[in-house]
Amino acid sequence: MKIEAHGAILSLNPMTMRAMLTNPELTVIGIIVVLLALIAFTRLRIDIIALLVLIMVALTRLVPPGDALSGFSSSVVITIIGLLVITRGLEQTGVMQWVARQLHAFGRGSEAKLIALVMSAGAAVSLLMNNVAAAAVLLPAVLQVSRDGGVPASKLMIPLAFGVTVGGMATYFTTANILMSELLIAQGIAGLTMLDFMPVGGMIVAAGLLYMLLLGRRLLPDRASLTQSFHQIDLHDTYELSDRMWLVRVMPGSRLARQTVQESDINAELGLTVAAIWRGRETITIPKSTQVIYPADELLIVGREERLQQLLAWGIELIEGGARAVADELPIEPIEIMIAPRSNAIGKTLSQMKLNRDAGLLAMALWRDGQSFHTDVRKMPLQVGDAILVVGQSPDIQNLSHNSNFILPAGEYSAQAVESRKAPYAILITAIVLALAILNIIPLPIAMLAGAAAMVLTRCLRMEQFYAAVDWRTIFLVAGMLPLSLAITETGLADRVGTILELNLVNASPLLLFAAIALLTMLVVQVIGGQVTPLLVGPIAIKAALQMGIDPRAMALAVAMACSLAFITPISHPVNILMMGPGGYKFSDFPKVGLGMTIVTLLAMMLGLTVFWGV
């Protein structure tokens, strides 16, 4: 293949170019390989991996030391901080809860109507806030709509996830969209604005909604939700507790006799849970770890049968058939709670969270990836989307509704807005920031930061809530990965890959290049997520567009939107993970519905780029 450069004809092919890689370029490729290996083969948190990448980029001097740390002061980070704080202000003042209540009020009718309503609400809310936060706000209301409308939550949770995701494609306020705009600015090109995303994104939202109504809903599983009912008998059946609950009697001379629950090592050694104690006519529900066990006490135990057999060797007698009868009469309420996005509980165990000691609640079982766990529950590190079956007194459960680490179903235990009288201020602040973003009157990072400060000045948020609103995992992830993105450009690697693409696609239509880059982006997203992908693919895509004489802003838009093509697997986006428990989904449920959604979204995106960007 021949190309013209500075008046000379050069003969280059991909094999020749690979042989000409410089040491800095090879170093960048090595760091990318290490990054992918750490994500795929270790349990390190992604934000820690990002910091390791930053250190590698700095130590290898791929970029100057000052540039290696520039991510922490970048406009992207400032914009994300402002967005997160404004979002928390809308939640704290009850604005988003009001939106959720409207969804509940109008959420009656046929399955198709509910799917359309849920998906539209998800898309609308995600225009104004982070996708994961939008899903978390709407989730309890959609569960309530599911129960009241008699429609299984498995028919609504995936539409909610997909609605939030496609809505994020139509707004500037999505992490990938913000990052791609910043990469354009770093190349000396005008960044993207809200008005750039809305036309193409609007077509994608409409196409996604039509797909879900016409075909996708027929592929959704008809499965009982974990949160289908608050009634104890239903929860027992859902978690199969009847096969995991045992009533035992402590014999004289037992290893447990006159030991506290904690000293007995029932949980620490066997992973079993003591749910209640009967002592004569006295019933001790949700026993504390300091509760002493005496001979002749009857214990309600939760766990696997093989662990129970080990317990019987400790001087314990099994009371046949007694567990279910006493469990149904317990004066305690079972309820499911979920781990919220950005929760401090992520990565911690229930023992570390100290729910029993601090909240008066006892965790009896955990649901994850379509499976319930009853043994070693308090030893399992918690993940986003985990559903936990807890029992407790009504006041204790009500208190938990104010804990931002957990999501409770809407209804009796929904937390009330703590500062609802400040809602008009929060709405006004958000409207002003949106207007500034759309009209591009002042730089967006300044507008977002001003909006965040205004939330505190108007007392929509307290200062400690300001800091708590910031997802520091995301901040360190973005700040740590930005230097690698800069190194891809500075070392010339982006130019080189762009030239290879140009040589191989020189006679192809620009639309083919867009489709190829979008598919590549989508595949990378399935592995490393939408927050890292734009920083790796973005510089290369922009350079390829420049070298082929294609509008780089259109290319950046395509990459940003392709970073949201996370429909095929539940692990490709935190929103999907959040829906796994409430929908009772299995891993295979997402590709059944998501493959068609991906195709429809890609086609709508290509059509939108052709109509609005002349691709």
Side-chain angles (χ1 to χ4, degrees):
M1 184 66 64
K2 296 181 179 179
I3 60 173
E4 183 172 348
H6 302 293
I9 301 295
L10 301 177
S11 179
L12 294 175
N13 59 63
M15 292 298 295
T16 303
M17 295 189 68
R18 281 195 291 268
M20 295 167 55
L21 286 171
T22 64
N23 287 335
E25 290 170 343
L26 289 171
T27 303
V28 171
I29 293 173
I31 291 175
I32 293 174
V33 171
V34 171
L35 166 66
L36 296 176
L38 289 174
I39 293 174
F41 302 114
T42 73
R43 295 185 179 181
L44 289 175
R45 285 176 24 168
I46 187 65
D47 48 340
I48 297 298
I49 293 175
L51 288 181
L52 293 177
V53 168
L54 183 154
I55 293 170
M56 286 187 284
V57 170
L59 292 179
T60 53
R61 298 188 179 274
L62 293 173
V63 298
D67 291 342
L69 299 175
S70 63
F72 290 98
S73 61
S74 70
S75 59
V76 175
V77 167
I78 301 302
T79 300
I80 292 174
I81 289 175
L83 174 62
L84 293 172
V85 173
I86 291 173
T87 296
R88 179 60 65 86
L90 292 172
E91 294 178 22
Q92 189 65 29
T93 56
V95 175
M96 300 316 302
Q97 289 84 345
W98 177 86
V99 172
R101 287 196 298 272
Q102 302 315 300
L103 175 62
H104 179 211
F106 291 100
R108 301 180 187 277
S110 66
E111 177 186 299
K113 175 189 172 183
L114 289 179
I115 288 175
L117 180 66
V118 165
M119 201 166 176
S120 300
V125 173
S126 65
L127 291 175
L128 305 176
M129 59 196 306
N130 175 273
N131 285 358
V132 179
V137 166
L138 293 175
L139 177 58
V142 174
L143 288 172
Q144 188 70 42
V145 168
S146 167
R147 286 190 293 271
D148 293 348
V151 176
S154 61
K155 294 288 187 179
L156 299 178
M157 292 295 103
I158 283 180
L160 174 60
F162 289 3
V164 166
T165 302
V166 295
M169 296 183 187
T171 181
Y172 180 85
F173 303 119
T174 300
T175 302
N177 300 2
I178 297 171
L179 286 170
M180 287 308 301
S181 180
E182 176 68 15
L183 290 177
L184 284 171
I185 295 172
Q187 297 285 334
I189 305 167
L192 297 168
T193 66
M194 191 80 168
L195 293 178
D196 293 319
F197 286 99
M198 293 189 72
V200 181
M203 290 184 66
I204 292 173
V205 171
L209 181 58
L210 286 175
Y211 163 76
M212 192 60 68
L213 291 176
L214 296 177
L215 179 61
R217 70 186 183 92
R218 306 179 192 279
L219 303 174
L220 292 166
D222 188 356
R223 193 172 296 135
S225 167
L226 300 182
T227 45
Q228 193 74 24
S229 171
F230 285 112
H231 296 302
Q232 188 171 0
I233 182 67
D234 290 335
L235 290 174
H236 272 238
D237 291 343
T238 300
Y239 278 89
E240 301 176 336
L241 285 179
S242 59
D243 298 328
R244 296 290 186 271
M245 298 183 72
W246 319 91
L247 187 64
V248 301
R249 182 180 293 111
V250 180
M251 306 300 292
S254 167
R255 170 176 166 179
L256 304 184
R258 294 180 175 80
Q259 298 287 313
T260 66
V261 172
Q262 182 174 359
E263 291 169 346
S264 71
D265 289 335
I266 289 179
N267 181 262
E269 188 169 332
L270 300 180
L272 300 172
T273 299
V274 181
I277 300 175
W278 282 266
R279 183 173 299 149
R281 296 184 178 181
E282 180 185 6
T283 300
I284 303 170
T285 59
I286 318 175
K288 300 285 188 181
S289 59
T290 55
Q291 175 64 51
V292 178
I293 300 172
Y294 291 99
D297 281 354
E298 295 181 357
L299 314 179
L300 182 64
I301 301 293
V302 181
R304 293 203 305 265
E305 183 174 3
E306 58 267 29
R307 298 292 181 89
L308 175 74
Q309 295 302 323
Q310 297 178 45
L311 180 64
L312 295 180
W314 293 11
I316 300 297
E317 178 186 27
L318 176 65
I319 302 175
E320 296 287 349
R324 184 61 182 263
V326 298
D328 290 343
E329 298 175 359
L330 281 176
I332 52 180
E333 295 195 44
I335 192 172
E336 288 168 318
I337 61 177
M338 289 183 60
I339 304 301
R342 303 190 299 273
S343 168
N344 291 329
I346 297 172
K348 296 181 180 178
T349 65
L350 287 170
S351 294
Q352 293 171 322
M353 292 300 295
K354 300 177 181 176
L355 278 179
N356 184 270
R357 189 189 74 181
D358 298 337
L361 303 175
L362 182 67
M364 298 182 67
L366 181 144
W367 186 280
R368 177 181 295 168
D369 297 337
Q371 182 179 358
S372 59
F373 298 87
H374 310 81
T375 306
D376 295 325
V377 170
R378 284 185 279 182
K379 300 178 183 179
M380 298 174 64
L382 298 173
Q383 302 175 6
V384 174
D386 282 350
I388 306 166
L389 181 68
V390 300
V391 292
Q393 304 294 339
S394 183
D396 293 326
I397 296 175
Q398 183 63 56
N399 290 336
L400 192 67
S401 68
H402 299 283
N403 189 326
S404 61
N405 290 316
F406 304 102
I407 299 174
L408 275 68
E412 182 179 356
Y413 296 109
S414 295
Q416 299 299 314
V418 295
E419 288 291 347
S420 58
R421 58 193 175 85
K422 296 290 185 179
Y425 294 105
I427 294 172
L428 179 61
I429 292 168
T430 304
I432 292 173
V433 171
L434 281 175
L436 293 173
I438 293 173
L439 299 176
N440 202 24
I441 296 175
I442 62 176
L444 183 60
I446 302 300
M448 297 298 291
L449 202 57
M455 285 288 183
V456 176
L457 293 174
T458 56
R459 298 186 179 180
C460 294
L461 290 174
R462 298 188 302 275
M463 203 61 206
E464 57 269 26
Q465 292 171 324
F466 179 106
Y467 289 116
V470 179
D471 181 6
W472 296 107
R473 296 181 185 91
T474 299
I475 299 303
F476 278 90
L477 170 61
V478 172
M481 290 300 300
L482 274 173
L484 178 59
S485 182
L486 180 61
I488 292 173
T489 302
E490 293 295 322
T491 59
L493 183 61
D495 286 318
R496 187 179 297 278
V497 177
T499 301
I500 293 175
L501 289 173
E502 180 186 6
L503 290 171
N504 285 279
L505 298 174
V506 66
N507 295 319
S509 69
L511 200 60
L512 179 60
L513 175 63
F514 277 85
I517 292 293
L519 286 171
L520 171 63
T521 303
M522 182 193 72
L523 292 174
V524 176
V525 165
Q526 309 306 313
V527 179
I528 62 177
Q531 293 176 320
V532 177
T533 299
L535 295 170
L536 297 182
V537 179
I540 296 171
I542 292 171
K543 287 293 185 181
L546 288 170
Q547 291 176 5
M548 296 183 69
I550 299 172
D551 187 346
R553 299 177 76 248
M555 179 61 77
L557 186 80
V559 172
M561 290 184 168
C563 286
S564 293
L565 291 174
F567 306 117
I568 296 179
T569 69
I571 61 174
S572 59
H573 200 288
V575 170
N576 295 351
I577 297 174
L578 192 61
M579 301 301 153
M580 286 288 286
Y585 293 126
K586 299 176 182 178
F587 191 98
S588 60
D589 293 326
F590 274 85
K592 287 179 183 177
V593 190
L595 181 60
M597 186 72 177
T598 300
I599 295 172
V600 168
T601 302
L602 269 172
L603 292 175
M605 183 173 71
M606 292 298 108
L607 179 60
L609 288 170
T610 301
V611 172
F612 297 106
W613 291 83
V615 174

